[in-house]
């Protein structure tokens, strides 16, 4: 982008002042409460995704309206509770809401072919909401997802039973609360990138996920990439960047 | 003990004042810096054990001299560094020093028959000092010890290879640093009491053993008893109280 | 189990592929949200116990239905609040609900003879819910329970008054919040295994049970096994594994 | 003081400007690195005491010289290591050094009659340095001290044996590391002010005294006043303010 | 008490077995959920006080009924919310409830003469509830109370204006949240015992009172006794033990 | 002030006792629950501002009434929720309420000319409430405010686009939650005083703003002044003291 | 592997007992202090790597000797200080030592072709040791490395100047201490997998790397994978697993 | 700068490729271990300052040589210990070393006129090193400094005595450890910008400066800007940016 504008400046079709304004206008929308980043897809591979937790209904729908008005056809909003979702779906009847992971998805382009295979593995049933956030975001990003739930180390044969499936995937996302041991165990059994998501499941000395987080950071199986507590979304984004890299390599781009 | 003295008070062979003094004298020695507890063995099953870490050579040897002068034939001192040990061994040539677990042992009664079997299992080579503290104290307490070292979850087949041995023991002490996942995994594989000892092995977010400690407290395998960080000694003491209970039951005492 | 299957593989009655599938099927049920572990009893001495805290009514009752359909006759669900319990009891009228410890118990085999004696000792009245979790789970596991409540160190004669009872039990579970001093005091007075459960009772610098937890981990009475904050259930499970060990020894199994 | 000066201002013997300077000069000395507070004794009952830990030899001796030059006859310096002490004793041969509590004492007025009785009680031998700081500072402040060391709750009869002595004192300072349970136990047994000093003795989850500190703050025995970790000096100062209050009441001053 | 019973044992009017039972019965009541300590007053100078926070209405009123049935005429219950209080007042119409400090007081002996003077000083208006707990408990314990509220260091002349009053009291209780600086400032201005109570007032990095707690523990004014966060009750109890000591000294008892 | 009174004392028109009372009365109002500081404006440049969070409606309106009765024409109350605000506005119909930053403003003197320019920059839309607290308080203090919202480092060109505006302001207040990186980035790009306000926006390991707070304290861009978590008010006050200093310098006062 | 052995069991060439022993022997070496995992390469893609920090010279060289005796031709030892390294190099003259990252490398197979490109980016010069650990391990694993050091956000143009290089790499490892903002900034500028390594560089409230760790976990740029503090090695291992995945995809394996 | 280059591009004297390289070269030097930022002065008002703590002698002197070779005449290096300083002074005989604050200063332009007045106020003598870092850096930045040391709140009259001096300065830097109360007290007494620097002075629950840091962040005196623990340098940098702003305003630049 900067090259084109410099070229236009060079050949005189653009004044320097015009150049500066142009650079600004084309890549953001400024609302009173938000500065939407349209350059994100080019820069990071995906449109800006809306963090819904502490935003009002008006703010979320305002941003969505501005984005669609600017030609964006795929919007993902995370951490939207049911009440907010209901209100927004009134305004965006084409969107849909995933209750368990609290995702709101507006996608006019959902039939792209899927590529890559991500296993989402949880230690327990209680880790489901976080796991589904990882799984649904991965699907939104056009990847195949294999859900392997409740195979924690208290009954490790449950995991070993499904090891073949796990090893056949490209990337493994491990979601676990309490002591988070599953990440280390999986990390020691596969030769694929392992992404660990600690959850806040547990009580007492789990300290709202701190125990699982520290476990995963100190994994004796080396090379595990750790996300914030309950951040299934982030795990999907990292998996996506890895699979995009592989695809580009495969396609001979790199 | 109180019954005998009350009886003597009752039959007039003891004044109440004499009774009170007697009660005190027989169960403690008072040095300037220590009050030795001779009642400990009766009350808790084992002589008082000396915590050597922040005591001077003079304090440790003074306590040992007072104990031996009072007929104690078995003394254990924990956390004695090599310099202190050398000095004390000059005074107690019959004692011996275990370098790795930093234990000083004076034992005139070391050929009692062994009973019970304790497996001491470590995640890594680096956990050796803590594991040896648990193992050597267990041996001092007349138990058989099976050392199974460096079988952490990064290569879990190393553990599975030795599962039969572990399952054949009465008690399993699991010693692990970093993320401490081994305790949960072992806890899910055996039906014996599992005692978990977090170690301070690791760096960064292991926070000197906090990570392993929290992991073990939050173990998804239920019923794991946790000790303080690096407290191999305590694990041996808990194992001992369990095996003593079993022996008494077996001997028909209970 | 592996031996039988290997034997069948050897004598040709089973293909290797069949062997692998068999190994898997017999020990788990796979629901969408859970992988039930039927091997747990054989491996760890007790059926899988359901952690109810973050599961929905549908998940809990679905797991229970699958378990009963597979011939399980004893099910324990922990941390079930009253609303969930009422709904589940509609579906399982033979189950019962313990309000104080929030336990849901389904037990078709409740008249096994009791064995062993566990004292559950609390520092205060406020520790009751956690203590009852330990006590009721112990009873569910067929042990005699002796409740000794509100005998904390602010009035230590209350504890000393009942010391004979405590010393006559096989195992002592100490439940205390605030500063948790009771565990150390009891640990110094008995020669039985002591299991300490810190509770979240207190305010300010108790930091939701952290104070009691640290106290118990640092107990000057050696050999105290510590559980997670408010984890009365875990204490009962550890006590159970100890008493099972003693029974097997007594029965000459070991 | 302010009244006298206001009076002099009133009767014209002092200008307002002179008054302001006078107020300043009489109550401080200004060195390059220190502003010595001569008003402290009047205001708080005792001369300013020098915290030696992070001061150089030159700073400590400079402050002492300025103080003695201004007529101060009693100086206490805390936390002075042996090397610093040796250097300062060269300059102040009348001072003396207490090695265990690391106190440097210059006292030209040491034969005042003693009053009040403080029991300093420790859980273990390892708490000695902190206990001696409390004891020696108390003696410097002209109080009787009764040392009762190594009577922690692992062998509680050691404490009960000496309960009469403790109850006969006016104030009890309890010094304990690890889990610090002794403060609660003593607090439940006496009706005198109890001052608790946590020590950094312990390892692992004692977190350098945090465990004992939290225990003491959460004592189930109400009304225990807590000091900073290892702050035996502060305990003696609080005890002194209490005994001074009692003396004044006794002398009819209040 | 032990002397009388030993005497009766000696002169044969009591068997040893009777003696043991007697010792137990006279000093406690055992309810299902509580073991009431009647010896507390003798031992610690005041009846057992009921911590209401995590007790049910039935538990609180059950304990009160048992106490009154055993002749206790003064009962204090702390941390009772309004709903609980209303229910209990139905059963104990002679009791009264203090709304701000959430105290329930039953006192048939409230016209004893007051003695001693306690200043309760707060940094802000927001610290009122904790301060009133300290003040009302002090009054319940028959001390004069001087309330000096909202004189924090942001406007330190407010404190200086009232310094004479503060200096005329026997004991100063300083109640402050946020940074808790007031304790150090007051500690530097008076020669009376200073008791510091951190409060949970503040937000963000006050961490629910941790900031004020650490400040008070590290006070550069030496000898400040610190209580748990929001523990106005404990401050009053410590003040009471100090004033009782002074009264006994004054009365020539010591 | 002290000079005048000293002068009156000198010339005999005031007794010393009168002088002391006078000093007190003129600078405070004493309510039962508050000591209002009228000297604050003179001493610190602005009237005392009321912290509304833990005050009742009666306390807030009582303080406001006392202040207006003493001639104060500008009052700011922070952290007032909507219900409290509605009740207070009934009593002070001239006041107004800002919903987003939860400020209640009573200002009879709001048309003073504005001076200085403060940029309030946020990382995200979610930081709005804190940012508006900073912005509205700045406006109340008569400064120009430039709001630059949602320009966090995930799309750093949004910030770069508006760098000229930021560089043209006198002071930059950076408001950010999560990892708080924006403060360092802005600090590296401007040569104006930068004030950083961490917010509690985020989840998991943001630990309610701790992450952003630590980031800002450790900023690699030197000289960033940090406020408490969510303390937009404090940032405005620091900015105000800086701009007041500049104005006085500009006016030749210094 | 299990398939072959099952086949041999099936065709009778192996007894079941032999099968079990075989399974064990081929994948581990058991030393007194270590259980070497030869299966690691097959399972996880790389030989077991030796964590040197808390191992003795004898332990490290013993493990190396056992590995080389078993045909391993590439060994990496991390966190070896200079003294240990010198001693080991005596025994393994073919090995070499990298001083800055404290790596000991024994590699008989170092001329494999390189593939993939990893940019290692640091915020400051002080992060060099950690960055070099990541870089040298990456090179040992046959990847191209681009070092971009000291481009932290205090002078962000240094980063922007080299953005093209960074964007041309396959994976970006960001190494930063203090506030760790660089990870978020880079994460917002590239569409490649970003791996963040917090370092312990800083002082005070950096809390030995905690500040940078929390920053990276809370990155507003989504999808950043975080490693333990100072764990450059782990970052290289994760990068390696990603590049291996891409290569296999490229080679048509998946 | 960007404008000039755009202009050259426009008029054809520069190709776009040349433009990009030019932009890079003029503002940085790239060494193997450092990327020196020459734009810093323009952007932030002062040359890049070297953080010496974790840099080697070679790195520091290499950076200095590169800077001087590029015409920089003023260099400041912070946190340089004495050994490093001695070695560097060999190479830069014109530099000087300040021992107490561990600053190395190379300044060919030190006779610029001073402007502005900064009071550096400490609570104790032990805070001297941090205070001198603030003071000497302020002097290096051409400001007048007034040192007011050891006036902490334990003897608050020492502060009040010097209040006039403090109020006459433009900016007040308060340096305090332990409980850090001095910042709040000063903040309540002056109407100038107050910058607070917590120090790590103290022991036990000061937690290496955490106590003072939290105090300062929670100051009840509003508008105090807080720096990292022991960061006297940062305080001077913030003060400098404020005084630069004032000077520009005074000079009519803004």
């Amino acid at each position: 982008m900067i090259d084109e504008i410099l070229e236009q400046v060079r050949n005189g079709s653009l004044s320097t002042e015009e150049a500066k304004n142009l650079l600004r206008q084309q890549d953001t929308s400024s609302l009173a409460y938000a500065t939407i980043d349209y350059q994100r897809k080019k820069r990071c591979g995906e449109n800006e995704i809306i963090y819904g937790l502490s935003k009002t209904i008006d703010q979320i729908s305002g941003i969505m309206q501005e984005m669609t008005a600017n030609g964006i056809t795929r919007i993902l909003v995370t951490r939207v509770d049911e009440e907010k979702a209901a209100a927004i779906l009134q305004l965006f009847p084409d969107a849909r809401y995933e209750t368990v992971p609290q995702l709101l998805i507006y996608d006019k382009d959902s039939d792209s072919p899927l590529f890559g295979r991500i296993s989402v593995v949880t230690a327990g049933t209680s880790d489901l909401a976080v796991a589904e956030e990882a799984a649904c975001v991965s699907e939104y990003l056009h990847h195949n997802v294999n859900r392997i739930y409740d195979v924690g180390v208290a009954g490790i044969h449950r995991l070993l039973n499904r090891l073949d499936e796990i090893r056949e995937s490209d990337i493994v996302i491990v979601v676990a609360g309490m002591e988070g041991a599953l990440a280390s165990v999986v990390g020691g059994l596969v030769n694929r990138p392992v992404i660990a998501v600690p959850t806040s499941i547990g009580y007492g000395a789990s300290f709202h996920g701190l125990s699982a987080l520290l476990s995963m950071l100190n994994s004796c199986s080396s090379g595990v990439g750790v996300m914030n507590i309950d951040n299934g979304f982030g795990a999907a984004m990292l998996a996506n960047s890895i699979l995009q890299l592989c695809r580009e390599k495969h396609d001979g781009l790199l």
Side-chain angles (χ1 to χ4, degrees), chain A:
Chain A
M1 185 60 68
I2 190 165
D3 293 326
E4 294 172 31
I5 292 178
L6 284 172
E7 186 50 39
Q8 286 184 282
V9 170
R10 179 179 187 74
N11 63 31
S13 60
L14 214 60
S15 75
T16 56
E17 202 52 34
E18 285 167 337
K20 283 165 81 172
N21 284 335
L22 254 188
L23 280 164
R24 291 186 188 175
Q25 285 164 16
Q26 74 193 351
D27 56 11
T28 58
S29 282
S30 282
L31 306 179
Y33 46 83
T35 308
I36 304 170
D37 177 3
Y38 295 126
Q39 214 189 51
R40 188 78 54 97
K41 180 160 193 172
K42 180 160 185 200
R43 224 172 51 237
C44 298
E46 194 55 41
N47 290 329
E48 183 169 4
I49 284 161
I50 305 170
Y51 172 65
L53 187 60
S54 46
K55 293 198 179 68
T56 63
I57 292 166
D58 285 353
Q59 290 173 338
I60 296 172
S61 55
I63 294 169
M64 289 176 71
Q65 268 152 348
E66 183 73 17
M67 287 173 83
T68 53
N70 279 273
I72 303 272
T73 56
R74 281 164 46 85
I75 303 176
L76 179 67
V77 195
T78 65
R79 300 191 170 237
V80 184
D81 64 35
E82 288 197 54
E83 290 87 328
K84 284 186 193 173
I88 297 167
L89 288 176
Q90 296 276 340
L91 298 168
F92 292 84
D94 292 347
R96 70 190 158 86
Y97 181 61
E98 296 287 341
T99 308
V100 173
Q102 301 207 305
L103 294 168
L104 197 137
I105 298 169
Y106 172 89
D107 188 355
K108 293 290 194 188
D109 184 29
S110 61
D111 40 298
S112 295
L114 302 183
F115 70 102
R117 173 161 295 274
I118 299 170
S119 280
V120 179
V121 183
T122 77
T125 298
S126 304
D127 302 310
L128 218 74
V130 178
E132 281 296 311
E133 192 184 54
C136 292
V137 173
S138 295
E139 288 168 342
Y140 170 81
L141 297 169
H142 305 306
H143 308 300
N144 298 289
V145 173
N146 187 27
R147 288 162 170 85
I148 300 177
Y149 288 171
D150 193 22
V151 296
V153 301
I156 202 170
H157 62 102
R158 299 177 300 183
L159 174 71
L160 300 177
N161 280 348
R162 303 191 69 179
L163 201 49
D164 290 352
E165 283 175 64
I166 295 172
R167 285 180 169 156
E168 277 157 18
S169 46
D170 299 327
I171 292 174
V172 189
I173 295 175
V174 180
V175 179
M178 295 179 175
E179 94 287 55
L182 189 60
S184 295
V185 172
V186 170
L189 290 168
V190 305
N191 66 354
R192 288 291 177 237
V194 174
I195 303 171
V197 186
T199 73
S200 53
I201 294 301
Y203 59 91
S206 87
F207 295 126
H208 312 292
L210 179 65
S211 168
L213 172 64
L214 294 183
S215 273
M216 290 167 172
L217 288 167
N218 287 287
S219 173
C220 59
S221 302
S222 52
V224 173
V226 183
M227 310 307 301
N228 190 8
I229 297 163
D230 291 337
N231 189 7
F233 160 68
M237 293 298 279
L238 178 54
N240 180 53
S241 72
I242 295 170
L243 290 171
Q244 292 285 3
L245 173 69
C246 292
R247 185 158 71 166
E248 290 183 33
K249 290 233 148 186
H250 194 246
D251 295 347
L253 293 186
L254 289 181

